[in-house]
Amino acid sequence: MSDPGGTPAQAPVSRYRVRFAKDGPLRWVGHLDLQRVWLHTLRRAEVPLAYSAGFHPHPRLLFAASLPLGFIGRAELLELGLTERLEAGALHQRLRHCAAPGLGIEDVASVEAETPALGRGLSGFDYLVTLDPSSATTLPARIAALLATTTLPRERRRRAYDLRPLIQRLELTAEGGLSMRLSGGVGPTGRPDEVLRALGYEPADATIERRGLCFDAAAATPPSGVAAAAAPVSTPSAAPGPSPSTS
């Protein structure tokens, strides 16, 4: 990795977007510690990471969105700025070889200099929640009751917000799990643990996976190889939610 003090301020920066998974022991690592894990991985891989200019240079790492502690991430996105142009496939292999346990490097793609910043156009997140099988009998009725409401007042960090418009989709999967798409990006963000509480479940008893990041169709998105365009998780019993809104 490049010495931050030795990186010229005007040095050209090559940008790469990485789709990665966070699972296993890393599930219990917070966002700041995840950044340290990534820096350690990049050092081990001897990747020429670029730094910002100024008296306190920072490594050019940009995450599309932080992942709450305890959640599993299946399609997280990170942008790297490097001082050298590398072949994306070779970079992918170097990162895979040096990744910490629980950090899965799924894909790497280079992006052009004029590509908008990662995270622009982010509009939502897809989650899959696995509950205790004993919950399956009452889950459909609880989903229907929640979707029949027009407002779900909540408070986060002493600020009131309405959870209901943030629920874009909520449905039972064929395997008995809970699939949901929640608004995110600009403004309030829907959280699956809040949805679980609204359904009458304790989030600590569930396994929560973030399966995809959703971007506005009109917005510039990451390259197709890395874009986390929310693949539908499962199917049946879909109940329509409100029009997408951001939080």
Side-chain angles (χ1 to χ4, degrees), residues 129-157:
V129 178
T130 304
L131 295 162
D132 187 282
S134 62
S135 304
T137 53
T138 59
L139 189 53
R142 297 187 190 208
I143 292 174
L146 186 148
L147 292 176
T149 62
T150 58
T151 181
L152 289 169
R154 291 291 185 275
E155 183 176 303
R156 184 187 305 158
R157 297 174 183 171

PDB file of all heavy atoms in Angstrom, residues 129-157:
ATOM      1  N   VAL A 129     -35.232 -12.035   6.060  1.00  0.00           N
ATOM      2  CA  VAL A 129     -35.224 -12.280   7.501  1.00  0.00           C
ATOM      3  C   VAL A 129     -35.677 -13.710   7.758  1.00  0.00           C
ATOM      4  O   VAL A 129     -36.709 -14.149   7.245  1.00  0.00           O
ATOM      5  CB  VAL A 129     -36.151 -11.288   8.235  1.00  0.00           C
ATOM      6  CG1 VAL A 129     -36.165 -11.587   9.730  1.00  0.00           C
ATOM      7  CG2 VAL A 129     -35.707  -9.852   7.972  1.00  0.00           C
ATOM      8  N   THR A 130     -34.878 -14.427   8.527  1.00  0.00           N
ATOM      9  CA  THR A 130     -35.234 -15.797   8.898  1.00  0.00           C
ATOM     10  C   THR A 130     -35.671 -15.812  10.356  1.00  0.00           C
ATOM     11  O   THR A 130     -34.928 -15.385  11.243  1.00  0.00           O
ATOM     12  CB  THR A 130     -34.036 -16.737   8.701  1.00  0.00           C
ATOM     13  OG1 THR A 130     -33.585 -16.643   7.342  1.00  0.00           O
ATOM     14  CG2 THR A 130     -34.427 -18.172   9.002  1.00  0.00           C
ATOM     15  N   LEU A 131     -36.868 -16.298  10.576  1.00  0.00           N
ATOM     16  CA  LEU A 131     -37.433 -16.358  11.918  1.00  0.00           C
ATOM     17  C   LEU A 131     -37.518 -17.796  12.383  1.00  0.00           C
ATOM     18  O   LEU A 131     -37.355 -18.744  11.593  1.00  0.00           O
ATOM     19  CB  LEU A 131     -38.829 -15.739  11.918  1.00  0.00           C
ATOM     20  CG  LEU A 131     -38.909 -14.230  11.617  1.00  0.00           C
ATOM     21  CD1 LEU A 131     -40.318 -13.856  11.210  1.00  0.00           C
ATOM     22  CD2 LEU A 131     -38.468 -13.433  12.835  1.00  0.00           C
ATOM     23  N   ASP A 132     -37.801 -17.955  13.646  1.00  0.00           N
ATOM     24  CA  ASP A 132     -38.026 -19.294  14.183  1.00  0.00           C
ATOM     25  C   ASP A 132     -39.219 -19.925  13.459  1.00  0.00           C
ATOM     26  O   ASP A 132     -40.232 -19.261  13.236  1.00  0.00           O
ATOM     27  CB  ASP A 132     -38.323 -19.185  15.692  1.00  0.00           C
ATOM     28  CG  ASP A 132     -38.403 -20.551  16.345  1.00  0.00           C
ATOM     29  OD1 ASP A 132     -39.456 -21.222  16.188  1.00  0.00           O
ATOM     30  OD2 ASP A 132     -37.427 -20.939  16.994  1.00  0.00           O
ATOM     31  N   PRO A 133     -39.107 -21.203  13.068  1.00  0.00           N
ATOM     32  CA  PRO A 133     -40.206 -21.852  12.338  1.00  0.00           C
ATOM     33  C   PRO A 133     -41.539 -21.789  13.054  1.00  0.00           C
ATOM     34  O   PRO A 133     -42.602 -21.792  12.411  1.00  0.00           O
ATOM     35  CB  PRO A 133     -39.720 -23.310  12.210  1.00  0.00           C
ATOM     36  CG  PRO A 133     -38.232 -23.220  12.301  1.00  0.00           C
ATOM     37  CD  PRO A 133     -37.936 -22.083  13.231  1.00  0.00           C
ATOM     38  N   SER A 134     -41.516 -21.690  14.359  1.00  0.00           N
ATOM     39  CA  SER A 134     -42.779 -21.644  15.102  1.00  0.00           C
ATOM     40  C   SER A 134     -43.551 -20.362  14.815  1.00  0.00           C
ATOM     41  O   SER A 134     -44.743 -20.256  15.119  1.00  0.00           O
ATOM     42  CB  SER A 134     -42.506 -21.762  16.602  1.00  0.00           C
ATOM     43  OG  SER A 134     -41.712 -20.675  17.052  1.00  0.00           O
ATOM     44  N   SER A 135     -42.862 -19.368  14.228  1.00  0.00           N
ATOM     45  CA  SER A 135     -43.525 -18.101  13.932  1.00  0.00           C
ATOM     46  C   SER A 135     -44.330 -18.163  12.642  1.00  0.00           C
ATOM     47  O   SER A 135     -45.125 -17.252  12.361  1.00  0.00           O
ATOM     48  CB  SER A 135     -42.480 -16.987  13.798  1.00  0.00           C
ATOM     49  OG  SER A 135     -41.676 -16.907  14.955  1.00  0.00           O
ATOM     50  N   ALA A 136     -44.098 -19.211  11.851  1.00  0.00           N
ATOM     51  CA  ALA A 136     -44.673 -19.254  10.503  1.00  0.00           C
ATOM     52  C   ALA A 136     -46.196 -19.216  10.496  1.00  0.00           C
ATOM     53  O   ALA A 136     -46.805 -18.664   9.581  1.00  0.00           O
ATOM     54  CB  ALA A 136     -44.172 -20.496   9.776  1.00  0.00           C
ATOM     55  N   THR A 137     -46.818 -19.780  11.493  1.00  0.00           N
ATOM     56  CA  THR A 137     -48.283 -19.876  11.462  1.00  0.00           C
ATOM     57  C   THR A 137     -48.960 -18.513  11.593  1.00  0.00           C
ATOM     58  O   THR A 137     -50.008 -18.278  11.006  1.00  0.00           O
ATOM     59  CB  THR A 137     -48.783 -20.804  12.589  1.00  0.00           C
ATOM     60  OG1 THR A 137     -48.230 -20.335  13.834  1.00  0.00           O
ATOM     61  CG2 THR A 137     -48.325 -22.235  12.348  1.00  0.00           C
ATOM     62  N   THR A 138     -48.360 -17.646  12.375  1.00  0.00           N
ATOM     63  CA  THR A 138     -48.995 -16.340  12.599  1.00  0.00           C
ATOM     64  C   THR A 138     -48.424 -15.242  11.707  1.00  0.00           C
ATOM     65  O   THR A 138     -49.000 -14.150  11.635  1.00  0.00           O
ATOM     66  CB  THR A 138     -48.817 -15.912  14.065  1.00  0.00           C
ATOM     67  OG1 THR A 138     -47.404 -15.840  14.366  1.00  0.00           O
ATOM     68  CG2 THR A 138     -49.478 -16.905  15.002  1.00  0.00           C
ATOM     69  N   LEU A 139     -47.330 -15.538  11.015  1.00  0.00           N
ATOM     70  CA  LEU A 139     -46.666 -14.498  10.236  1.00  0.00           C
ATOM     71  C   LEU A 139     -47.542 -13.908   9.132  1.00  0.00           C
ATOM     72  O   LEU A 139     -47.600 -12.675   8.975  1.00  0.00           O
ATOM     73  CB  LEU A 139     -45.354 -15.044   9.652  1.00  0.00           C
ATOM     74  CG  LEU A 139     -44.425 -14.029   8.996  1.00  0.00           C
ATOM     75  CD1 LEU A 139     -44.132 -12.856   9.920  1.00  0.00           C
ATOM     76  CD2 LEU A 139     -43.123 -14.709   8.569  1.00  0.00           C
ATOM     77  N   PRO A 140     -48.260 -14.725   8.342  1.00  0.00           N
ATOM     78  CA  PRO A 140     -49.093 -14.126   7.272  1.00  0.00           C
ATOM     79  C   PRO A 140     -50.104 -13.130   7.793  1.00  0.00           C
ATOM     80  O   PRO A 140     -50.294 -12.058   7.206  1.00  0.00           O
ATOM     81  CB  PRO A 140     -49.767 -15.348   6.639  1.00  0.00           C
ATOM     82  CG  PRO A 140     -48.831 -16.479   6.927  1.00  0.00           C
ATOM     83  CD  PRO A 140     -48.274 -16.201   8.287  1.00  0.00           C
ATOM     84  N   ALA A 141     -50.749 -13.451   8.902  1.00  0.00           N
ATOM     85  CA  ALA A 141     -51.751 -12.533   9.461  1.00  0.00           C
ATOM     86  C   ALA A 141     -51.092 -11.253   9.953  1.00  0.00           C
ATOM     87  O   ALA A 141     -51.647 -10.152   9.795  1.00  0.00           O
ATOM     88  CB  ALA A 141     -52.501 -13.227  10.596  1.00  0.00           C
ATOM     89  N   ARG A 142     -49.909 -11.384  10.533  1.00  0.00           N
ATOM     90  CA  ARG A 142     -49.222 -10.193  11.023  1.00  0.00           C
ATOM     91  C   ARG A 142     -48.786  -9.291   9.863  1.00  0.00           C
ATOM     92  O   ARG A 142     -48.854  -8.067   9.963  1.00  0.00           O
ATOM     93  CB  ARG A 142     -48.003 -10.607  11.863  1.00  0.00           C
ATOM     94  CG  ARG A 142     -48.365 -11.386  13.123  1.00  0.00           C
ATOM     95  CD  ARG A 142     -47.138 -11.606  13.994  1.00  0.00           C
ATOM     96  NE  ARG A 142     -47.411 -12.535  15.085  1.00  0.00           N
ATOM     97  CZ  ARG A 142     -46.782 -12.526  16.256  1.00  0.00           C
ATOM     98  NH1 ARG A 142     -45.834 -11.614  16.472  1.00  0.00           N
ATOM     99  NH2 ARG A 142     -47.070 -13.400  17.192  1.00  0.00           N
ATOM    100  N   ILE A 143     -48.327  -9.918   8.786  1.00  0.00           N
ATOM    101  CA  ILE A 143     -47.934  -9.119   7.613  1.00  0.00           C
ATOM    102  C   ILE A 143     -49.138  -8.373   7.059  1.00  0.00           C
ATOM    103  O   ILE A 143     -49.068  -7.171   6.766  1.00  0.00           O
ATOM    104  CB  ILE A 143     -47.332 -10.038   6.527  1.00  0.00           C
ATOM    105  CG1 ILE A 143     -45.997 -10.618   6.990  1.00  0.00           C
ATOM    106  CG2 ILE A 143     -47.148  -9.276   5.221  1.00  0.00           C
ATOM    107  CD1 ILE A 143     -45.417 -11.647   6.039  1.00  0.00           C
ATOM    108  N   ALA A 144     -50.256  -9.082   6.932  1.00  0.00           N
ATOM    109  CA  ALA A 144     -51.466  -8.445   6.386  1.00  0.00           C
ATOM    110  C   ALA A 144     -51.916  -7.288   7.262  1.00  0.00           C
ATOM    111  O   ALA A 144     -52.309  -6.227   6.756  1.00  0.00           O
ATOM    112  CB  ALA A 144     -52.574  -9.495   6.252  1.00  0.00           C
ATOM    113  N   ALA A 145     -51.853  -7.481   8.571  1.00  0.00           N
ATOM    114  CA  ALA A 145     -52.289  -6.418   9.486  1.00  0.00           C
ATOM    115  C   ALA A 145     -51.377  -5.207   9.381  1.00  0.00           C
ATOM    116  O   ALA A 145     -51.836  -4.062   9.381  1.00  0.00           O
ATOM    117  CB  ALA A 145     -52.314  -6.955  10.919  1.00  0.00           C
ATOM    118  N   LEU A 146     -50.082  -5.465   9.261  1.00  0.00           N
ATOM    119  CA  LEU A 146     -49.148  -4.338   9.176  1.00  0.00           C
ATOM    120  C   LEU A 146     -49.348  -3.568   7.870  1.00  0.00           C
ATOM    121  O   LEU A 146     -49.365  -2.338   7.860  1.00  0.00           O
ATOM    122  CB  LEU A 146     -47.714  -4.840   9.287  1.00  0.00           C
ATOM    123  CG  LEU A 146     -46.631  -3.758   9.369  1.00  0.00           C
ATOM    124  CD1 LEU A 146     -45.451  -4.234  10.220  1.00  0.00           C
ATOM    125  CD2 LEU A 146     -46.115  -3.361   7.999  1.00  0.00           C
ATOM    126  N   LEU A 147     -49.519  -4.302   6.781  1.00  0.00           N
ATOM    127  CA  LEU A 147     -49.676  -3.634   5.488  1.00  0.00           C
ATOM    128  C   LEU A 147     -51.005  -2.902   5.375  1.00  0.00           C
ATOM    129  O   LEU A 147     -51.161  -2.028   4.523  1.00  0.00           O
ATOM    130  CB  LEU A 147     -49.530  -4.654   4.354  1.00  0.00           C
ATOM    131  CG  LEU A 147     -48.126  -5.245   4.190  1.00  0.00           C
ATOM    132  CD1 LEU A 147     -48.112  -6.321   3.106  1.00  0.00           C
ATOM    133  CD2 LEU A 147     -47.103  -4.161   3.859  1.00  0.00           C
ATOM    134  N   ALA A 148     -51.957  -3.255   6.221  1.00  0.00           N
ATOM    135  CA  ALA A 148     -53.259  -2.576   6.200  1.00  0.00           C
ATOM    136  C   ALA A 148     -53.201  -1.231   6.908  1.00  0.00           C
ATOM    137  O   ALA A 148     -54.113  -0.414   6.764  1.00  0.00           O
ATOM    138  CB  ALA A 148     -54.320  -3.457   6.854  1.00  0.00           C
ATOM    139  N   THR A 149     -52.138  -1.007   7.652  1.00  0.00           N
ATOM    140  CA  THR A 149     -52.029   0.271   8.357  1.00  0.00           C
ATOM    141  C   THR A 149     -51.594   1.363   7.380  1.00  0.00           C
ATOM    142  O   THR A 149     -50.988   1.089   6.341  1.00  0.00           O
ATOM    143  CB  THR A 149     -51.000   0.192   9.501  1.00  0.00           C
ATOM    144  OG1 THR A 149     -49.709  -0.090   8.949  1.00  0.00           O
ATOM    145  CG2 THR A 149     -51.379  -0.902  10.486  1.00  0.00           C
ATOM    146  N   THR A 150     -51.901   2.575   7.724  1.00  0.00           N
ATOM    147  CA  THR A 150     -51.482   3.706   6.879  1.00  0.00           C
ATOM    148  C   THR A 150     -50.334   4.480   7.491  1.00  0.00           C
ATOM    149  O   THR A 150     -49.684   5.273   6.806  1.00  0.00           O
ATOM    150  CB  THR A 150     -52.658   4.664   6.656  1.00  0.00           C
ATOM    151  OG1 THR A 150     -53.141   5.117   7.930  1.00  0.00           O
ATOM    152  CG2 THR A 150     -53.789   3.961   5.907  1.00  0.00           C
ATOM    153  N   THR A 151     -50.072   4.254   8.757  1.00  0.00           N
ATOM    154  CA  THR A 151     -48.966   4.960   9.408  1.00  0.00           C
ATOM    155  C   THR A 151     -48.414   4.110  10.548  1.00  0.00           C
ATOM    156  O   THR A 151     -49.156   3.374  11.207  1.00  0.00           O
ATOM    157  CB  THR A 151     -49.437   6.328   9.936  1.00  0.00           C
ATOM    158  OG1 THR A 151     -48.333   7.003  10.548  1.00  0.00           O
ATOM    159  CG2 THR A 151     -50.569   6.182  10.935  1.00  0.00           C
ATOM    160  N   LEU A 152     -47.121   4.189  10.747  1.00  0.00           N
ATOM    161  CA  LEU A 152     -46.442   3.477  11.846  1.00  0.00           C
ATOM    162  C   LEU A 152     -45.462   4.466  12.487  1.00  0.00           C
ATOM    163  O   LEU A 152     -44.270   4.462  12.184  1.00  0.00           O
ATOM    164  CB  LEU A 152     -45.690   2.249  11.328  1.00  0.00           C
ATOM    165  CG  LEU A 152     -46.520   1.057  10.856  1.00  0.00           C
ATOM    166  CD1 LEU A 152     -45.641   0.049  10.122  1.00  0.00           C
ATOM    167  CD2 LEU A 152     -47.188   0.382  12.069  1.00  0.00           C
ATOM    168  N   PRO A 153     -45.948   5.318  13.362  1.00  0.00           N
ATOM    169  CA  PRO A 153     -45.070   6.317  13.974  1.00  0.00           C
ATOM    170  C   PRO A 153     -43.953   5.663  14.791  1.00  0.00           C
ATOM    171  O   PRO A 153     -44.201   4.732  15.561  1.00  0.00           O
ATOM    172  CB  PRO A 153     -46.020   7.115  14.880  1.00  0.00           C
ATOM    173  CG  PRO A 153     -47.389   6.801  14.376  1.00  0.00           C
ATOM    174  CD  PRO A 153     -47.320   5.410  13.843  1.00  0.00           C
ATOM    175  N   ARG A 154     -42.754   6.119  14.586  1.00  0.00           N
ATOM    176  CA  ARG A 154     -41.597   5.601  15.324  1.00  0.00           C
ATOM    177  C   ARG A 154     -40.688   6.773  15.684  1.00  0.00           C
ATOM    178  O   ARG A 154     -40.841   7.890  15.173  1.00  0.00           O
ATOM    179  CB  ARG A 154     -40.808   4.591  14.466  1.00  0.00           C
ATOM    180  CG  ARG A 154     -41.533   3.284  14.220  1.00  0.00           C
ATOM    181  CD  ARG A 154     -41.641   2.468  15.506  1.00  0.00           C
ATOM    182  NE  ARG A 154     -42.218   1.151  15.306  1.00  0.00           N
ATOM    183  CZ  ARG A 154     -43.529   0.902  15.280  1.00  0.00           C
ATOM    184  NH1 ARG A 154     -44.393   1.892  15.404  1.00  0.00           N
ATOM    185  NH2 ARG A 154     -43.976  -0.323  15.126  1.00  0.00           N
ATOM    186  N   GLU A 155     -39.728   6.459  16.540  1.00  0.00           N
ATOM    187  CA  GLU A 155     -38.757   7.486  16.909  1.00  0.00           C
ATOM    188  C   GLU A 155     -37.371   6.868  16.872  1.00  0.00           C
ATOM    189  O   GLU A 155     -37.158   5.754  17.338  1.00  0.00           O
ATOM    190  CB  GLU A 155     -39.033   8.017  18.315  1.00  0.00           C
ATOM    191  CG  GLU A 155     -38.092   9.151  18.718  1.00  0.00           C
ATOM    192  CD  GLU A 155     -38.443   9.739  20.079  1.00  0.00           C
ATOM    193  OE1 GLU A 155     -39.593  10.181  20.234  1.00  0.00           O
ATOM    194  OE2 GLU A 155     -37.581   9.726  20.968  1.00  0.00           O
ATOM    195  N   ARG A 156     -36.430   7.565  16.263  1.00  0.00           N
ATOM    196  CA  ARG A 156     -35.047   7.106  16.213  1.00  0.00           C
ATOM    197  C   ARG A 156     -34.142   8.296  16.521  1.00  0.00           C
ATOM    198  O   ARG A 156     -34.265   9.344  15.885  1.00  0.00           O
ATOM    199  CB  ARG A 156     -34.723   6.532  14.827  1.00  0.00           C
ATOM    200  CG  ARG A 156     -33.309   5.936  14.722  1.00  0.00           C
ATOM    201  CD  ARG A 156     -32.979   5.542  13.284  1.00  0.00           C
ATOM    202  NE  ARG A 156     -33.971   4.650  12.739  1.00  0.00           N
ATOM    203  CZ  ARG A 156     -34.187   4.489  11.439  1.00  0.00           C
ATOM    204  NH1 ARG A 156     -33.497   5.185  10.560  1.00  0.00           N
ATOM    205  NH2 ARG A 156     -35.112   3.649  11.016  1.00  0.00           N
ATOM    206  N   ARG A 157     -33.286   8.098  17.456  1.00  0.00           N
ATOM    207  CA  ARG A 157     -32.388   9.179  17.878  1.00  0.00           C
ATOM    208  C   ARG A 157     -33.159  10.468  18.165  1.00  0.00           C
ATOM    209  O   ARG A 157     -32.804  11.545  17.697  1.00  0.00           O
ATOM    210  CB  ARG A 157     -31.309   9.422  16.820  1.00  0.00           C
ATOM    211  CG  ARG A 157     -30.405   8.211  16.623  1.00  0.00           C
ATOM    212  CD  ARG A 157     -29.436   8.429  15.480  1.00  0.00           C
ATOM    213  NE  ARG A 157     -28.616   7.236  15.263  1.00  0.00           N
ATOM    214  CZ  ARG A 157     -27.820   7.084  14.227  1.00  0.00           C
ATOM    215  NH1 ARG A 157     -27.713   8.041  13.314  1.00  0.00           N
ATOM    216  NH2 ARG A 157     -27.105   5.978  14.092  1.00  0.00           N
TER     217      ARG A 157
END
